[in-house]
Amino acid sequence: MQGHPSTKGKHNFSPYLKRDGNTQNTANVGMLIEFRYKCLIYYEITLVRLVRKITTGYVIRVSGPLVIAENVPNPKIGDVVHIGDNKLIGEIIRISGNRVSIQVYEDTSGIRPKDPVENTGKPLTAKLGPGILKQIYDGLQTPLTVVWSKHGPFVPRGVKVEPLDTQKKWEFVPTLKEGDEVEPVDIIGTVQETAVIQHRILVPHRVSGKIIDIREGKYTIKEPIATIQTKDGKKIEVTMMQEWPVKIRRPYKKKLPPTKPLITGMRVIDTFFPIAMGGSAAIPGGFGTGKTVTLQSLAKWSWADIIIYVGCGERGNEMADVITHFPELDDPRTGHKLIERSIFIANVSNLPVAAREASVYMGVTIGEYFRDQGYNVALMADSTSRWMEAVRELGGRLGDVPVEEGFPAYIVQLIASFYERSGRVLTLGRRPREGSLTIMGAVSPPGGDFLEPVTATTMRFVGTLWALDKKLAFARHFPAINWTLSFSRYVDLLRDYFAKELNAPRFFDYRARALKILEEGMRLEDISKIIGEKALQNKERFILMFTKMFKDGYLVQNAFDVVDRYTPPEIQARILEAFMRYYEVMVRLAERVPVEEIAGLESTRMLPRLKFSWAVVDEEEERIVGVNEELFERFYESLRKEVEMLADKYGIRISLD
Ligand SMILES: Nc1ncnc2c1ncn2[C@@H]1O[C@H](COP(=O)(O)OP(=O)(O)OP(=O)(O)O)[C@@H](O)[C@H]1O
Ligand SMILES: [Mg+2]
């Protein structure tokens, strides 16, 4: 087409100034509208950009789990930010000028400079309420089993699922009534969450006043179950869910002294290096020395009501292994599955190292929440070294000055504040109760060197140390807890409990005696290695023999044997007494009686077997059905007879009592 004839030769400088004909006019109006519309869009885009500029910052650099961003609005340390279109979760850890450093808890690959960074203005929190038990979470409280059922094992990035089921209705049973005055952390009602645990619903923090309405019945965690009227007349609806910032410890009324033991059923622990309820313990050990097996034994057998297991992933497949096995574990204390009273927090491999930190804090916070409900909670972290390695990596990227072996100085503060969140406390509330959180952390020193910074620092802040020994593990002496390096600062505080509750007044005297004998035994062992056992005096040879009997018959404990895996504390006291009373008489007889003759005695044969023979076992069901009551009488009977016989034979004056 050559153009419209009427426009030929005329001014045609603007499409908006066409003057001829109706059709022309309509076209002009249409174009005008289009132009205005374009302007509007342009204006809107500019506006959105402007608003975004105020409400979001943008990425300027990415370095592994560390993102540097600029112009993030109102940044505070600890604020959670969302990065990029997938809204990856990160936390502000440094601020300098208009720049912030963000540790990102999700995989940062794909994040580019200029990607938006939104500040939520809120810290990382844990959502707490019914439905939390039996869960396997990651450090951001993503319920992994729910995610896996939707997306399979390879979870796409940026997938966000509510930590607690918001649809499920729970049967709420009030324990308080209308008109009752309440304060934070008072229990207002309960929910039977699993077969073995009653979830106690707490009045949220910062809410106190009078209950003006409380509703029995089935509700979701988002529906109000009570209304509380504050002093100034405000009405607050309370639900069964609360949120708590993970890095802030939950307050309590008062800390109580650690005077109750957390019985574990492991003889070397309960007898020699006990841990108190609300105490803290570290279990350092080189590769394959038994950290995981020990922590799992503690999870199964210790006298805690709630178990929180934080897996920081030693090896990639170990975590997967633990996740599949943990829900299968039977709970010997309830007859149900252990998971019914547990929460598992796993650092799955698709999360970057920074998420280990989130896992640890998430675990502790959930622990404190159940402590506030009046439960005794045990938290196991395997292994805290992996967390510290993440801190080191991030510190390096931040340019922090390394102090020792590349670790920044603030690991001391991090380790201290982690273990300090343990404790036996009296909770807040008008009706306070007692609860405890015991923390046990595995430490994996590279090369088994306990002087390395993480192990050395951890040892300063824990009440109990179970030092795992490579040599013992190699000799298959399990638990490979070294009795000279380990310690418990709770021994004196627990003395009364053992004396009164377990009716074992001499328990700690026997304990001290046994440690002395072990020490002497080790000294003799070293000498005998040089000069040969035969060159030792007869009495010394007896001490050496006894030490071996005591190690095999008391310290060594097989986590996989039906009887041996758990020895009740009162049985521990009786076996320990048997060993010590045997020693007292025999060591005197050994002045003259040849050690070979002592070795052949019935009592010598019985003693190391007491750890198995105390129990009556149902072989078919593989469980203990009773205590062999006459066993200890039979043992003392043999001992008495044999001592009398030997005393007679060798002309020694001795009595068993
Ligand atoms: N109490 C125990 N009773 C019997 N066997 C044990 C005991 N403790 C450890 N073992 C044995 O030692 C092996 C290694 O233990 P475990 O996996 O707990 O070591 P670890 O210290 O966690 O190792 P890693 O450093 O690789 O994580 C177990 O597979 C088991 O055979
Ligand atoms: Mg392990």
Side-chain angles (χ1 to χ4, degrees):
M1 284 257 295
Q2 288 295 307
H4 199 278
S6 62
T7 59
K8 236 182 223 168
K10 291 197 174 164
H11 306 291
N12 192 17
F13 55 88
S14 163
Y16 308 114
L17 295 173
K18 288 176 184 157
R19 285 151 289 171
D20 42 346
N22 273 343
T23 36
Q24 277 282 328
N25 274 345
T26 328
N28 284 348
V29 171
M31 284 169 115
L32 198 66
I33 290 173
E34 195 188 319
F35 177 70
R36 281 200 173 164
Y37 184 64
K38 275 184 180 162
C39 284
L40 208 67
I41 288 179
Y42 178 75
Y43 173 71
E44 257 180 30
I45 288 173
T46 324
L47 201 71
V48 165
R49 281 203 183 137
L50 214 73
V51 171
R52 251 197 172 179
K53 221 170 184 171
I54 301 166
T55 56
T56 72
Y58 48 86
V59 173
I60 59 165
R61 197 165 71 231
V62 185
S63 157
L66 183 71
V67 163
I68 310 290
E70 252 177 23
N71 291 346
V72 174
N74 303 319
K76 294 190 301 297
I77 298 285
D79 277 354
V80 167
V81 296
H82 292 158
I83 304 170
D85 298 332
N86 281 334
K87 293 189 181 296
L88 303 187
I89 294 177
E91 185 188 345
I92 297 178
I93 51 170
R94 294 278 163 86
I95 305 169
S96 80
N98 66 343
R99 282 196 175 183
V100 294
S101 306
I102 300 162
Q103 82 171 345
V104 186
Y105 292 134
E106 295 177 85
D107 183 5
T108 53
S109 49
I111 293 288
R112 288 169 309 184
K114 298 251 163 44
D115 275 353
V117 178
E118 266 173 65
N119 187 4
T120 64
K122 285 189 195 152
L124 189 66
T125 57
K127 291 201 168 132
L128 307 161
I132 200 165
L133 286 166
K134 291 167 79 170
Q135 287 290 356
I136 297 177
Y137 286 124
D138 70 10
L140 300 174
Q141 219 190 352
T142 308
L144 292 175
T145 32
V146 179
V147 175
W148 288 331
S149 66
K150 280 189 190 155
H151 301 276
F154 300 102
V155 183
R157 273 183 330 148
V159 165
K160 306 278 184 287
V161 180
E162 284 284 338
L164 300 171
D165 190 338
T166 51
Q167 307 296 318
K168 185 169 172 151
K169 291 197 182 252
W170 299 93
E171 185 79 49
F172 173 73
V173 183
T175 45
L176 295 180
K177 53 185 190 320
E178 279 153 36
D180 285 339
E181 293 281 343
V182 289
E183 281 176 16
V185 187
D186 271 333
I187 295 170
I188 52 168
T190 60
V191 164
Q192 191 66 44
E193 185 178 344
T194 67
V196 297
I197 296 294
Q198 200 180 49
H199 199 115
R200 297 162 186 163
I201 307 300
L202 306 175
V203 174
H205 287 263
R206 292 192 290 279
V207 176
S208 47
K210 193 191 275 179
I211 299 177
I212 53 168
D213 185 19
I214 187 156
R215 294 148 226 170
E216 177 157 11
K218 288 195 154 190
Y219 297 98
T220 68
I221 52 166
K222 289 208 161 161
E223 288 167 335
I225 40 96
T227 310
I228 292 168
Q229 187 164 30
T230 61
K231 280 214 169 65
D232 45 15
K234 249 207 276 171
K235 288 178 186 166
I236 298 175
E237 301 272 33
V238 174
T239 66
M240 289 191 270
M241 191 193 78
Q242 17 181 299
E243 225 170 321
W244 188 263
V246 296
K247 290 203 174 166
I248 297 175
R249 71 156 74 196
R250 283 173 68 93
Y252 44 79
K253 196 158 277 170
K254 146 169 131 185
K255 213 159 194 170
L256 302 171
T259 47
K260 288 184 184 169
L262 179 74
I263 297 292
T264 67
M266 282 169 78
R267 295 181 294 268
V268 61
I269 290 182
D270 294 341
T271 304
F272 292 103
F273 310 106
I275 179 162
M277 276 189 178
S280 57
I283 175 160
F287 173 72
T289 47
K291 298 178 292 294
T292 305
V293 171
T294 308
L295 285 184
Q296 285 193 12
S297 273
L298 292 170
K300 277 181 94 168
W301 295 101
S302 70
W303 288 13
D305 308 310
I306 307 278
I307 302 297
I308 297 174
Y309 203 99
V310 181
C312 274
E314 289 280 72
R315 284 166 267 122
N317 57 352
E318 189 182 61
M319 214 60 255
D321 207 43
V322 178
I323 292 172
T324 38
H325 281 118
F326 201 86
E328 307 280 297
L329 291 179
D330 290 321
D331 181 2
R333 294 192 55 215
T334 62
H336 289 83
K337 293 282 179 205
L338 188 61
I339 196 82
E340 299 274 320
R341 58 185 180 92
S342 310
I343 294 144
F344 198 98
I345 299 167
N347 250 96
V348 276
S349 46
N350 59 349
L351 284 183
V353 291
R356 292 173 188 166
E357 173 150 323
S359 307
V360 170
Y361 286 110
M362 190 59 69
V364 173
T365 306
I366 297 173
E368 287 177 340
Y369 172 63
F370 278 100
R371 172 205 73 190
D372 281 356
Q373 292 179 39
Y375 286 116
N376 292 311
V377 185
L379 179 143
M380 287 89 186
D382 187 10
S383 134
T384 57
S385 295
R386 302 285 164 259
W387 166 30
M388 286 303 129
E389 281 158 17
V391 172
R392 174 169 63 186
E393 187 187 324
L394 214 71
R397 290 178 194 270
L398 283 163
D400 291 336
V401 182
V403 180
E404 226 185 315
E405 292 183 25
F407 289 102
Y410 48 79
I411 63 159
V412 176
Q413 201 189 332
L414 287 175
I415 292 173
S417 61
F418 167 59
Y419 287 103
E420 274 164 11
R421 283 179 77 169
S422 62
R424 181 172 150 242
V425 305
L426 192 68
T427 65
L428 294 178
R430 288 172 80 95
R431 307 152 187 87
R433 66 216 73 96
E434 199 186 299
S436 71
L437 171 62
T438 310
I439 298 184
M440 294 169 250
V443 187
S444 332
D449 168 21
F450 287 6
L451 296 175
E452 63 88 34
V454 177
T455 314
T457 308
T458 305
M459 278 159 75
R460 284 167 52 196
F461 297 107
V462 292
T464 300
L465 184 81
W466 301 311
L468 297 185
D469 187 330
K470 230 190 202 137
K471 269 196 226 145
L472 290 177
F474 189 71
R476 298 210 62 78
H477 173 124
F478 287 119
I481 296 176
N482 178 306
W483 51 90
T484 46
L485 294 175
S486 304
F487 63 76
S488 166
R489 296 191 172 112
Y490 304 112
V491 173
D492 286 331
L493 290 158
L494 299 176
R495 202 175 276 270
D496 262 8
Y497 180 92
F498 276 90
K500 289 190 191 125
E501 303 285 323
L502 298 180
N503 196 20
R506 296 198 58 197
F507 187 71
F508 279 94
D509 300 334
Y510 287 138
R511 169 190 181 273
R513 188 92 183 93
L515 279 174
K516 276 233 161 64
I517 299 167
L518 282 170
E519 206 178 302
E520 174 70 359
M522 274 169 64
R523 190 182 68 84
L524 293 171
E525 203 179 307
D526 288 343
I527 297 173
S528 75
K529 272 184 198 146
I530 302 164
I531 62 171
E533 200 200 314
K534 288 266 154 52
L536 292 175
Q537 289 174 15
N538 189 61
K539 186 177 156 186
E540 289 171 338
R541 287 182 60 204
F542 168 74
I543 296 174
L544 209 55
M545 179 186 90
F546 178 82
T547 310
K548 188 166 180 336
M549 279 163 67
F550 189 72
K551 279 198 235 168
D552 293 343
Y554 201 83
L555 299 179
V556 169
Q557 190 164 359
N558 185 349
F560 307 109
D561 180 274
V562 178
V563 176
D564 203 26
R565 59 195 179 185
Y566 174 82
T567 310
E570 60 281 4
I571 301 291
Q572 292 186 40
R574 288 169 82 177
I575 300 178
L576 182 69
E577 183 179 4
F579 266 102
M580 290 303 116
R581 285 177 63 185
Y582 168 92
Y583 179 84
E584 295 306 336
V585 287
M586 288 300 173
V587 78
R588 289 177 57 199
L589 288 175
E591 304 267 357
R592 287 192 217 158
V593 184
V595 73
E596 287 78 9
E597 200 166 342
I598 298 176
L601 299 173
E602 169 72 6
S603 51
T604 309
R605 204 187 52 75
M606 278 179 90
L607 194 56
R609 298 221 31 92
L610 292 178
K611 69 173 182 183
F612 295 116
S613 41
W614 67 268
V616 181
V617 184
D618 180 336
E619 298 287 351
E620 243 170 56
E621 294 219 357
E622 289 207 345
R623 63 189 186 96
I624 297 170
V625 288
V627 176
N628 190 346
E629 292 294 346
E630 318 91 77
L631 176 74
F632 290 92
E633 276 168 40
R634 271 201 288 124
F635 168 75
Y636 287 116
E637 191 53 39
S638 306
L639 185 63
R640 183 172 292 113
K641 269 195 204 144
E642 286 168 337
V643 167
E644 272 168 16
M645 180 269 291
L646 289 173
D648 227 31
K649 186 170 165 190
Y650 290 89
I652 307 166
R653 283 167 63 94
I654 202 165
S655 117
L656 192 57
D657 309 304

mmCIF file of all heavy atoms in Angstrom, residues 549 582 586 598-610 634-640 642-643 646:
data_model
loop_
_atom_site.group_PDB
_atom_site.id
_atom_site.type_symbol
_atom_site.label_atom_id
_atom_site.label_comp_id
_atom_site.label_asym_id
_atom_site.label_seq_id
_atom_site.Cartn_x
_atom_site.Cartn_y
_atom_site.Cartn_z
ATOM 1 N N MET A 549 38.551 -58.716 85.494
ATOM 2 C CA MET A 549 37.190 -59.204 85.771
ATOM 3 C C MET A 549 36.210 -58.040 85.860
ATOM 4 O O MET A 549 35.086 -58.105 85.381
ATOM 5 C CB MET A 549 37.145 -59.944 87.114
ATOM 6 C CG MET A 549 37.624 -61.374 87.080
ATOM 7 S SD MET A 549 37.982 -61.949 88.756
ATOM 8 C CE MET A 549 36.361 -61.973 89.497
ATOM 9 N N TYR A 582 33.790 -58.894 97.384
ATOM 10 C CA TYR A 582 34.666 -59.979 96.924
ATOM 11 C C TYR A 582 36.120 -59.510 96.988
ATOM 12 O O TYR A 582 37.000 -60.185 97.515
ATOM 13 C CB TYR A 582 34.264 -60.359 95.497
ATOM 14 C CG TYR A 582 35.231 -61.266 94.765
ATOM 15 C CD1 TYR A 582 35.087 -62.656 94.803
ATOM 16 C CD2 TYR A 582 36.281 -60.742 94.011
ATOM 17 C CE1 TYR A 582 35.961 -63.490 94.123
ATOM 18 C CE2 TYR A 582 37.161 -61.565 93.337
ATOM 19 C CZ TYR A 582 37.010 -62.934 93.388
ATOM 20 O OH TYR A 582 37.880 -63.750 92.716
ATOM 21 N N MET A 586 39.276 -61.096 99.134
ATOM 22 C CA MET A 586 40.232 -61.829 98.296
ATOM 23 C C MET A 586 41.611 -61.165 98.277
ATOM 24 O O MET A 586 42.623 -61.843 98.207
ATOM 25 C CB MET A 586 39.712 -61.957 96.861
ATOM 26 C CG MET A 586 38.566 -62.922 96.715
ATOM 27 S SD MET A 586 39.022 -64.604 97.242
ATOM 28 C CE MET A 586 37.438 -65.402 97.149
ATOM 29 N N ILE A 598 42.648 -68.830 93.393
ATOM 30 C CA ILE A 598 41.505 -67.892 93.470
ATOM 31 C C ILE A 598 40.738 -67.904 92.137
ATOM 32 O O ILE A 598 39.513 -67.895 92.113
ATOM 33 C CB ILE A 598 41.994 -66.453 93.794
ATOM 34 C CG1 ILE A 598 42.680 -66.428 95.161
ATOM 35 C CG2 ILE A 598 40.830 -65.463 93.760
ATOM 36 C CD1 ILE A 598 43.284 -65.098 95.556
ATOM 37 N N ALA A 599 41.505 -67.981 91.064
ATOM 38 C CA ALA A 599 40.875 -67.948 89.736
ATOM 39 C C ALA A 599 39.931 -69.129 89.529
ATOM 40 O O ALA A 599 38.953 -69.035 88.787
ATOM 41 C CB ALA A 599 41.953 -67.940 88.656
ATOM 42 N N GLY A 600 40.208 -70.244 90.228
ATOM 43 C CA GLY A 600 39.385 -71.437 90.014
ATOM 44 C C GLY A 600 38.137 -71.498 90.886
ATOM 45 O O GLY A 600 37.361 -72.455 90.798
ATOM 46 N N LEU A 601 37.913 -70.495 91.726
ATOM 47 C CA LEU A 601 36.779 -70.551 92.660
ATOM 48 C C LEU A 601 35.434 -70.336 91.956
ATOM 49 O O LEU A 601 35.365 -69.661 90.928
ATOM 50 C CB LEU A 601 36.941 -69.480 93.748
ATOM 51 C CG LEU A 601 38.177 -69.580 94.652
ATOM 52 C CD1 LEU A 601 38.261 -68.354 95.544
ATOM 53 C CD2 LEU A 601 38.124 -70.862 95.483
ATOM 54 N N GLU A 602 34.397 -70.884 92.589
ATOM 55 C CA GLU A 602 33.030 -70.711 92.068
ATOM 56 C C GLU A 602 32.638 -69.217 92.087
ATOM 57 O O GLU A 602 32.069 -68.695 91.133
ATOM 58 C CB GLU A 602 32.076 -71.541 92.947
ATOM 59 C CG GLU A 602 30.596 -71.312 92.747
ATOM 60 C CD GLU A 602 30.069 -71.874 91.430
ATOM 61 O OE1 GLU A 602 30.848 -72.553 90.713
ATOM 62 O OE2 GLU A 602 28.887 -71.608 91.106
ATOM 63 N N SER A 603 32.966 -68.515 93.205
ATOM 64 C CA SER A 603 32.592 -67.094 93.306
ATOM 65 C C SER A 603 33.310 -66.274 92.226
ATOM 66 O O SER A 603 32.731 -65.336 91.673
ATOM 67 C CB SER A 603 32.898 -66.551 94.689
ATOM 68 O OG SER A 603 34.223 -66.843 95.049
ATOM 69 N N THR A 604 34.540 -66.639 91.910
ATOM 70 C CA THR A 604 35.291 -65.930 90.870
ATOM 71 C C THR A 604 34.623 -66.142 89.511
ATOM 72 O O THR A 604 34.608 -65.259 88.657
ATOM 73 C CB THR A 604 36.751 -66.440 90.815
ATOM 74 O OG1 THR A 604 37.281 -66.391 92.123
ATOM 75 C CG2 THR A 604 37.601 -65.615 89.875
ATOM 76 N N ARG A 605 34.079 -67.311 89.340
ATOM 77 C CA ARG A 605 33.413 -67.630 88.081
ATOM 78 C C ARG A 605 32.067 -66.901 87.979
ATOM 79 O O ARG A 605 31.676 -66.423 86.911
ATOM 80 C CB ARG A 605 33.202 -69.151 88.009
ATOM 81 C CG ARG A 605 33.057 -69.719 86.609
ATOM 82 C CD ARG A 605 32.694 -71.195 86.655
ATOM 83 N NE ARG A 605 31.520 -71.470 87.506
ATOM 84 C CZ ARG A 605 30.268 -71.207 87.155
ATOM 85 N NH1 ARG A 605 29.998 -70.672 85.983
ATOM 86 N NH2 ARG A 605 29.275 -71.480 87.988
ATOM 87 N N MET A 606 31.379 -66.821 89.128
ATOM 88 C CA MET A 606 30.036 -66.198 89.134
ATOM 89 C C MET A 606 30.073 -64.677 88.932
ATOM 90 O O MET A 606 29.211 -64.098 88.281
ATOM 91 C CB MET A 606 29.334 -66.462 90.474
ATOM 92 C CG MET A 606 28.669 -67.805 90.589
ATOM 93 S SD MET A 606 27.934 -67.956 92.233
ATOM 94 C CE MET A 606 26.293 -67.287 91.945
ATOM 95 N N LEU A 607 31.080 -64.059 89.533
ATOM 96 C CA LEU A 607 31.104 -62.597 89.619
ATOM 97 C C LEU A 607 30.945 -61.864 88.273
ATOM 98 O O LEU A 607 30.040 -61.034 88.123
ATOM 99 C CB LEU A 607 32.394 -62.174 90.343
ATOM 100 C CG LEU A 607 32.464 -60.738 90.829
ATOM 101 C CD1 LEU A 607 31.305 -60.375 91.748
ATOM 102 C CD2 LEU A 607 33.789 -60.497 91.563
ATOM 103 N N PRO A 608 31.773 -62.150 87.281
ATOM 104 C CA PRO A 608 31.637 -61.400 86.025
ATOM 105 C C PRO A 608 30.370 -61.731 85.256
ATOM 106 O O PRO A 608 30.020 -61.047 84.299
ATOM 107 C CB PRO A 608 32.864 -61.829 85.208
ATOM 108 C CG PRO A 608 33.719 -62.615 86.124
ATOM 109 C CD PRO A 608 32.854 -63.132 87.222
ATOM 110 N N ARG A 609 29.668 -62.792 85.699
ATOM 111 C CA ARG A 609 28.446 -63.167 84.978
ATOM 112 C C ARG A 609 27.194 -62.546 85.605
ATOM 113 O O ARG A 609 26.104 -62.669 85.072
ATOM 114 C CB ARG A 609 28.311 -64.701 84.922
ATOM 115 C CG ARG A 609 29.452 -65.360 84.175
ATOM 116 C CD ARG A 609 29.024 -66.513 83.262
ATOM 117 N NE ARG A 609 27.688 -66.401 82.683
ATOM 118 C CZ ARG A 609 27.443 -65.842 81.501
ATOM 119 N NH1 ARG A 609 28.415 -65.309 80.797
ATOM 120 N NH2 ARG A 609 26.216 -65.818 81.040
ATOM 121 N N LEU A 610 27.376 -61.888 86.757
ATOM 122 C CA LEU A 610 26.212 -61.297 87.441
ATOM 123 C C LEU A 610 25.464 -60.335 86.525
ATOM 124 O O LEU A 610 24.251 -60.209 86.590
ATOM 125 C CB LEU A 610 26.654 -60.561 88.717
ATOM 126 C CG LEU A 610 27.187 -61.400 89.874
ATOM 127 C CD1 LEU A 610 27.615 -60.497 91.025
ATOM 128 C CD2 LEU A 610 26.145 -62.410 90.358
ATOM 129 N N ARG A 634 23.073 -66.596 96.610
ATOM 130 C CA ARG A 634 23.903 -67.749 96.211
ATOM 131 C C ARG A 634 25.360 -67.334 96.065
ATOM 132 O O ARG A 634 26.269 -68.050 96.462
ATOM 133 C CB ARG A 634 23.391 -68.342 94.891
ATOM 134 C CG ARG A 634 22.322 -69.415 95.092
ATOM 135 C CD ARG A 634 22.211 -70.310 93.879
ATOM 136 N NE ARG A 634 21.589 -69.594 92.764
ATOM 137 C CZ ARG A 634 22.127 -69.454 91.574
ATOM 138 N NH1 ARG A 634 23.302 -69.979 91.302
ATOM 139 N NH2 ARG A 634 21.509 -68.785 90.628
ATOM 140 N N PHE A 635 25.539 -66.159 95.503
ATOM 141 C CA PHE A 635 26.905 -65.668 95.308
ATOM 142 C C PHE A 635 27.607 -65.487 96.659
ATOM 143 O O PHE A 635 28.717 -65.985 96.873
ATOM 144 C CB PHE A 635 26.906 -64.355 94.526
ATOM 145 C CG PHE A 635 28.247 -63.661 94.540
ATOM 146 C CD1 PHE A 635 29.296 -64.144 93.754
ATOM 147 C CD2 PHE A 635 28.480 -62.564 95.353
ATOM 148 C CE1 PHE A 635 30.550 -63.533 93.794
ATOM 149 C CE2 PHE A 635 29.728 -61.945 95.388
ATOM 150 C CZ PHE A 635 30.763 -62.436 94.610
ATOM 151 N N TYR A 636 26.930 -64.816 97.606
ATOM 152 C CA TYR A 636 27.559 -64.568 98.915
ATOM 153 C C TYR A 636 27.777 -65.875 99.676
ATOM 154 O O TYR A 636 28.744 -66.019 100.418
ATOM 155 C CB TYR A 636 26.729 -63.570 99.743
ATOM 156 C CG TYR A 636 26.847 -62.146 99.207
ATOM 157 C CD1 TYR A 636 25.739 -61.475 98.702
ATOM 158 C CD2 TYR A 636 28.078 -61.489 99.193
ATOM 159 C CE1 TYR A 636 25.849 -60.187 98.196
ATOM 160 C CE2 TYR A 636 28.198 -60.201 98.685
ATOM 161 C CZ TYR A 636 27.085 -59.551 98.196
ATOM 162 O OH TYR A 636 27.203 -58.286 97.688
ATOM 163 N N GLU A 637 26.885 -66.820 99.438
ATOM 164 C CA GLU A 637 27.005 -68.130 100.063
ATOM 165 C C GLU A 637 28.295 -68.823 99.582
ATOM 166 O O GLU A 637 29.099 -69.296 100.387
ATOM 167 C CB GLU A 637 25.761 -68.961 99.678
ATOM 168 C CG GLU A 637 25.556 -70.259 100.425
ATOM 169 C CD GLU A 637 25.572 -70.069 101.942
ATOM 170 O OE1 GLU A 637 25.031 -69.053 102.417
ATOM 171 O OE2 GLU A 637 26.156 -70.927 102.630
ATOM 172 N N SER A 638 28.500 -68.831 98.263
ATOM 173 C CA SER A 638 29.722 -69.436 97.703
ATOM 174 C C SER A 638 30.950 -68.713 98.224
ATOM 175 O O SER A 638 31.942 -69.338 98.606
ATOM 176 C CB SER A 638 29.777 -69.322 96.181
ATOM 177 O OG SER A 638 28.665 -69.828 95.611
ATOM 178 N N LEU A 639 30.868 -67.386 98.220
ATOM 179 C CA LEU A 639 32.007 -66.588 98.648
ATOM 180 C C LEU A 639 32.379 -66.925 100.089
ATOM 181 O O LEU A 639 33.550 -67.175 100.397
ATOM 182 C CB LEU A 639 31.665 -65.095 98.507
ATOM 183 C CG LEU A 639 32.790 -64.109 98.793
ATOM 184 C CD1 LEU A 639 33.932 -64.288 97.807
ATOM 185 C CD2 LEU A 639 32.277 -62.664 98.696
ATOM 186 N N ARG A 640 31.363 -66.986 100.951
ATOM 187 C CA ARG A 640 31.612 -67.266 102.371
ATOM 188 C C ARG A 640 32.292 -68.618 102.520
ATOM 189 O O ARG A 640 33.327 -68.730 103.180
ATOM 190 C CB ARG A 640 30.294 -67.232 103.149
ATOM 191 C CG ARG A 640 30.488 -67.436 104.665
ATOM 192 C CD ARG A 640 29.216 -67.209 105.452
ATOM 193 N NE ARG A 640 28.792 -65.820 105.446
ATOM 194 C CZ ARG A 640 27.690 -65.361 104.849
ATOM 195 N NH1 ARG A 640 26.900 -66.201 104.189
ATOM 196 N NH2 ARG A 640 27.380 -64.088 104.901
ATOM 197 N N GLU A 642 33.946 -70.414 100.362
ATOM 198 C CA GLU A 642 35.286 -70.489 99.765
ATOM 199 C C GLU A 642 36.321 -69.703 100.583
ATOM 200 O O GLU A 642 37.464 -70.138 100.723
ATOM 201 C CB GLU A 642 35.239 -70.007 98.308
ATOM 202 C CG GLU A 642 34.572 -71.051 97.418
ATOM 203 C CD GLU A 642 34.218 -70.557 96.021
ATOM 204 O OE1 GLU A 642 34.068 -69.338 95.833
ATOM 205 O OE2 GLU A 642 34.106 -71.393 95.117
ATOM 206 N N VAL A 643 35.877 -68.569 101.117
ATOM 207 C CA VAL A 643 36.793 -67.780 101.943
ATOM 208 C C VAL A 643 37.162 -68.562 103.202
ATOM 209 O O VAL A 643 38.336 -68.650 103.582
ATOM 210 C CB VAL A 643 36.165 -66.409 102.299
ATOM 211 C CG1 VAL A 643 36.962 -65.715 103.398
ATOM 212 C CG2 VAL A 643 36.105 -65.528 101.068
ATOM 213 N N LEU A 646 39.596 -71.352 102.306
ATOM 214 C CA LEU A 646 40.965 -70.884 102.031
ATOM 215 C C LEU A 646 41.655 -70.360 103.299
ATOM 216 O O LEU A 646 42.841 -70.607 103.516
ATOM 217 C CB LEU A 646 40.953 -69.786 100.963
ATOM 218 C CG LEU A 646 40.613 -70.249 99.543
ATOM 219 C CD1 LEU A 646 40.458 -69.051 98.619
ATOM 220 C CD2 LEU A 646 41.672 -71.195 99.000
#
